[in-house]
Amino acid sequence: MLRILTLAALSSTVISGSAFAEPLFNRVASFAVNNNLPADMGQETETSAEIIAASKDGMTLVYSDSPAKLIGFIDITDAKAPKAGGAVKMEGEPTSVAVSGSLVLAGINTSESKSNPSGKLVAIDIASKAIVSECALGGQPDSVAVSPDGSIAAIAVENERDEDIEDGKLPQLPAGFVVILPLKDGAPQCDGLIKVEMTGLAQVGAEDPEPEFIAINAANEIAVTMQENNHIAILAADGKVISHFSAGAVDLEGVDTKSDGAISFTDKKEGVKREPDAVKWLDNDRLAVANEGDYEGGSRSFTIFSKSGEVLFESGLSLEMTIASMGHYPEKRSRAKGVEPEGMEIAKFGETTWIAVMAERASVAGIYKDTGGEPQFVQVVPTGLGPEGAVAIPSRNLLAISNEVDLVEDGGVRSHVTIYELADAPMQYPTIVSANDESGKPIGWGALSGLVADKEKPGILHGVNDSVYFGQPTIYTIDANVTPAKIVSALRVSRGGHPAQLMDMEGITLDGKGGFWVANEGRSDRLVPHGILNVNAKGEIKAEIGLPAELLAGEKRFGFEGIALIGEGDAATLWMAVQREWGDDEKGFVKLVSYNIKSKEWGAVIYPLDKVEGGWVGLSEITVHGDHAYIVERDNQIGEKAAIKKLYRVALGELVPAKLGGALPVVKKEEVRDFLPDMKSFGGYVFDKIEGFAIDAAGNGFAVTDNDGVDDSNGETLFWTIGKVN
């Protein structure tokens, strides 16, 4: 049976206290918004779920889809099985939505250019999907909010700058402003429009304010962030400025600032402007902002202010470090703004006020409880790719997060809306975390590929990262006896006393001498040679074995993806799984390549692949247990298209290699497990890369997915056990 690794306790980096002592948010469903496209728009259409809202009864989600120019609806009557609710086409680009009674108020950008901005507020009936009214705004709207009492709506009209002009430096007129509209029975009253000028307030670009996000408290006070201006203003319902203040700056100590293929929290940045994006009220006196950064800053944090501008709490790097311990740190964004907290939601469920902070580049949300002082960290939940907006539905104990990134052009993951339920249940995620290193920072990790089990200690495994971390090739030790599994140590692979280069480690096995054999998948575009490496217990490469000419004659990029050692003494032979067909292979057949360590003889057999419609099928792991070699076979497809994620086995008696260059025998395979139900049970979309599998000393099988180092991925790593392998 599948045993999902749930959270009993994490290191202090991730969470303190028992995960079962209080209600928690767990993902219950994900909805790909391309399933909501109108019939006359093909599935190749780029979609996005950017800002999200919920109907008053909590049964319908509404989101803005900027690239497809749609307002989308999702039926969540059954939150665990969301259904397409249709979409309304807009004449312009939807930027934000809010619910007002029975209506959706959508901000629509109709600008012909950034220098000549225009926009409107469109009211749509939720039940009929009919457009009820429109109000011209006189500029490009970016955020829409409705007051808790339903009496007013406020719109941040950003009139955003063109980043291609003088590197986006301010000022770039026309200036942005705020619009306040009275509401009657939910409908905006256009003739009562109030335009609030925001010029002259900020210390940065005072003549060119760019209102970014807006929120209204129960006293009908309006909080406005001006991200590029690093400023926050509080307005009354009549537009009067109650207060305004700089968002300020912070010093960051122990941060990664280099996009160098390595995760190293050893740098510092001083005077980093917060430049907040989303803002939400905690109550009538306190507001919280997510400090994404844009123009010059990005403090990788969230901050709680009083409405007069006093800093009441600053999260600093704590959220980023927690995210890094879960393998979600976006190393390629180190030089910029790291995890980029951007979206935020705050809502009261029962007697508890919950805070959700979305980290755009890490594709997670940090969940906190408001205590009136320092927020209490509770958990981090995985989202789709690029979380942007969120809406809480306390009446149903639900939270929905909209994820804007759609990789349709690259054949990757689509934009999603993810739904979570607050309940007394074990925490589902993370499934694997890292301990802290000697400096007190999390062991940086991601892109886990091959796995191998310790020969004697049950639950102890070793894994490798791949070429995403070209500056930090690493062999990790994983303790799977705890829940979630924990990376307890990191062995950096070195060559000549320096971090090894030209590495793409995709497989690992024990060498019987305290070290490892590693499969190095070649990448000619990165000057990485195909081969196998012997690494000692100190991480030093002691031997490098290139491939013979007979094998290289058919060389292609997709090389060794797994490695296993069979036999002892003079018979000790390494077996490597080649991921895809090479030039001399018949379509649908790949090689299992052998190398006798003592005689240095090469050989191979042929392995038959399953067939799939669309995409390709290949191998990603090989491990030995008892009388069989266990092989992971997968397609390269994601989400609903994923079809083949399976574990097969081949009897060792079948692995009789023939010489390269001649006819090779075809082995017989036997299906052991279909991993698709396992992967779907986690509630997210199905990943393409299940890349690691090992069977431990007690006979339990463990599987892991490769998160691509959070590059064109939501960063999620699934690590689970399938129990005893018979």
Side-chain angles (χ1 to χ4, degrees):
M1 292 181 63
L2 166 68
R3 177 168 69 89
I4 297 176
L5 296 184
T6 53
L7 179 64
L10 283 176
S11 69
S12 60
T13 305
V14 179
I15 192 169
S16 59
S18 169
F20 305 103
E22 58 188 9
L24 297 163
F25 286 94
N26 280 318
R27 181 176 53 193
V28 295
S30 291
F31 178 82
V33 298
N34 59 287
N35 291 322
N36 217 12
L37 284 168
D40 60 348
M41 299 177 73
Q43 284 297 302
E44 72 281 358
T45 303
E46 181 184 357
T47 62
S48 178
E50 189 172 4
I51 303 300
I52 192 166
S55 60
K56 294 300 182 182
D57 64 3
M59 298 298 175
T60 302
L61 296 175
V62 188
Y63 61 89
S64 58
D65 186 339
S66 170
K69 297 183 178 181
L70 301 172
I71 299 298
F73 298 82
I74 305 173
D75 178 355
I76 57 166
T77 303
D78 181 351
K80 296 180 180 179
K83 299 177 181 178
V88 178
K89 293 183 179 180
M90 294 287 104
E91 293 181 358
E93 173 200 7
T95 58
S96 184
V97 290
V99 165
S100 178
S102 61
L103 305 176
V104 176
L105 304 185
I108 308 297
N109 176 20
T110 58
S111 305
E112 64 177 34
S113 67
K114 286 183 169 57
S115 61
N116 188 20
S118 64
K120 58 187 177 180
L121 186 71
V122 177
I124 306 167
D125 183 78
I126 295 175
S128 68
K129 310 297 188 297
I131 294 177
V132 174
S133 64
E134 297 183 359
C135 294
L137 298 175
Q140 170 246 319
D142 198 52
S143 175
V144 178
V146 171
S147 62
D149 67 1
S151 64
I152 60 170
I155 303 97
V157 178
E158 182 178 13
N159 291 345
E160 64 184 359
R161 72 195 192 284
D162 188 337
E163 297 186 21
D164 292 329
I165 298 176
E166 295 186 0
D167 296 324
K169 292 181 181 179
L170 299 179
Q172 285 188 26
L173 300 180
F177 51 89
V178 170
V179 165
I180 301 172
L181 281 165
L183 301 174
K184 183 178 180 181
D185 297 327
Q189 305 301 295
C190 303
D191 55 0
L193 183 150
I194 299 172
K195 180 180 179 182
V196 184
E197 300 290 354
M198 307 297 289
T199 55
L201 301 180
Q203 298 171 2
V204 178
E207 68 272 43
D208 183 18
E210 295 196 10
E212 183 77 23
F213 209 95
I214 209 157
I216 309 174
N217 67 13
N220 283 352
E221 295 170 329
I222 303 164
V224 185
T225 58
M226 291 173 274
Q227 186 172 21
E228 290 79 5
N229 311 91
N230 197 39
H231 211 76
I232 299 168
I234 311 297
L235 309 177
D238 61 2
K240 179 182 177 181
V241 177
I242 298 173
S243 66
H244 67 92
F245 47 89
S246 169
V250 297
D251 296 333
L252 302 179
E253 184 80 34
V255 64
D256 191 346
T257 63
K258 302 179 182 68
S259 303
D260 56 359
I263 300 176
S264 179
F265 301 115
T266 58
D267 304 325
K268 66 170 60 176
K269 298 184 75 172
E270 296 180 342
V272 181
K273 294 176 182 177
R274 290 189 173 96
E275 293 186 347
D277 189 325
V279 59
K280 293 286 182 176
W281 289 94
L282 276 162
D283 50 39
N284 285 350
D285 299 307
R286 297 176 300 144
L287 55 144
V289 295
N291 302 316
E292 180 199 18
D294 193 335
Y295 182 46
E296 294 178 338
S299 60
R300 312 184 182 200
S301 64
F302 73 98
T303 309
I304 297 175
F305 290 97
S306 71
K307 64 183 179 185
S308 61
E310 179 187 2
V311 175
L312 304 178
F313 170 76
E314 165 62 40
S315 71
L317 291 170
S318 60
L319 179 57
E320 182 160 282
M321 292 302 101
T322 299
I323 288 170
S325 74
M326 298 168 60
H328 280 260
Y329 180 74
E331 199 284 320
K332 287 189 176 181
R333 299 295 298 175
S334 293
R335 196 185 303 276
K337 295 166 286 186
V339 299
E340 292 191 28
E342 181 176 11
M344 179 173 283
E345 173 66 323
I346 294 175
K348 193 169 185 177
F349 290 67
E351 297 302 312
T352 302
T353 298
W354 294 85
I355 305 169
V357 183
M358 276 72 73
E360 180 187 16
R361 298 292 179 170
S363 296
V364 296
I367 308 293
Y368 298 78
K369 284 184 178 180
D370 178 32
T371 66
E374 179 177 337
Q376 175 192 344
F377 172 75
V378 177
Q379 65 182 125
V380 168
V381 296
T383 70
L385 187 56
E388 179 82 11
V391 62
I393 309 175
S395 63
R396 300 186 64 195
N397 284 331
L398 297 177
L399 172 69
I401 294 178
S402 51
N403 309 283
E404 66 173 339
V405 178
D406 189 344
L407 299 180
V408 61
E409 290 187 2
D410 300 320
V413 61
R414 305 302 301 265
S415 175
H416 280 72
V417 169
T418 315
I419 302 172
Y420 311 83
E421 182 179 38
L422 179 67
D424 292 314
M427 190 180 292
Q428 295 176 350
Y429 196 83
T431 58
I432 181 169
V433 299
S434 67
N436 288 346
D437 61 20
E438 60 277 0
S439 71
K441 297 290 186 179
I443 296 171
W445 67 278
L448 292 181
S449 186
L451 284 181
V452 67
D454 185 275
K455 191 174 182 180
E456 299 178 352
K457 300 176 183 177
I460 302 300
L461 312 170
H462 303 283
V464 292
N465 60 9
D466 64 24
S467 61
V468 169
Y469 300 102
F470 59 87
Q472 197 177 56
T474 303
I475 297 172
Y476 301 101
T477 297
I478 302 166
D479 184 355
N481 295 303
V482 296
T483 311
K486 183 177 287 188
I487 294 172
V488 295
S489 65
L491 182 67
R492 307 303 185 190
V493 179
S494 62
R495 182 187 282 115
H498 301 283
Q501 302 296 315
L502 304 179
M503 299 282 287
D504 187 10
M505 300 187 295
E506 295 287 354
I508 183 172
T509 193
L510 306 176
D511 71 356
K513 302 175 182 178
F516 306 92
W517 286 100
V518 173
N520 199 37
E521 184 180 26
R523 289 289 302 268
S524 58
D525 57 333
R526 300 178 186 174
L527 302 179
V528 179
H530 294 286
I532 49 181
L533 312 171
N534 191 207
V535 179
N536 68 14
K538 296 181 180 180
E540 301 165 330
I541 296 176
K542 306 307 292 184
E544 301 187 53
I545 302 169
L547 305 191
E550 299 93 329
L551 193 57
L552 289 174
E555 176 185 3
K556 287 192 176 180
R557 167 188 160 187
F558 299 94
F560 294 164
E561 278 281 323
I563 187 170
L565 179 63
I566 299 176
E568 298 177 338
D570 291 351
T573 300
L574 294 169
W575 281 87
M576 285 69 65
V578 180
Q579 185 178 51
R580 292 180 61 187
E581 302 97 333
W582 277 21
D584 55 348
D585 292 321
E586 182 182 344
K587 183 175 176 56
F589 295 86
V590 294
K591 295 184 184 73
L592 301 177
V593 177
S594 67
Y595 176 77
N596 183 281
I597 297 172
K598 182 171 179 61
S599 70
K600 299 181 173 52
E601 292 179 312
W602 292 86
V605 297
I606 292 292
Y607 177 96
L609 296 169
D610 286 355
K611 296 180 180 179
V612 68
E613 291 186 13
W616 52 259
V617 180
L619 308 184
S620 59
E621 182 66 287
I622 181 171
T623 192
V624 174
H625 177 65
D627 296 329
H628 291 83
Y630 290 77
I631 295 170
V632 174
E633 186 175 340
R634 68 169 181 89
D635 61 11
N636 68 326
Q637 300 190 97
I638 292 175
E640 297 171 357
K641 292 183 178 180
I644 299 173
K645 319 288 180 187
K646 291 185 176 182
L647 180 67
Y648 284 96
R649 69 179 186 179
V650 174
L652 296 187
E654 292 268 309
L655 298 181
V656 180
K659 289 185 178 181
L660 297 171
L664 302 176
V666 179
V667 299
K668 297 177 182 178
K669 66 180 186 180
E670 175 187 4
E671 183 174 332
V672 177
R673 189 178 188 86
D674 185 351
F675 288 123
L676 273 177
D678 299 357
M679 299 173 77
K680 290 178 179 178
S681 71
F682 288 93
Y685 66 90
V686 175
F687 307 111
D688 53 337
K689 294 183 177 180
I690 174 170
E691 292 213 351
F693 183 78
I695 302 172
D696 75 354
N700 292 308
F702 294 87
V704 70
T705 59
D706 177 356
N707 74 351
D708 281 329
V710 204
D711 184 22
D712 290 342
S713 161
N714 77 332
E716 193 169 344
T717 296
L718 301 182
F719 181 95
W720 75 99
T721 178
I722 64 171
K724 296 288 185 183
V725 179
N726 299 317

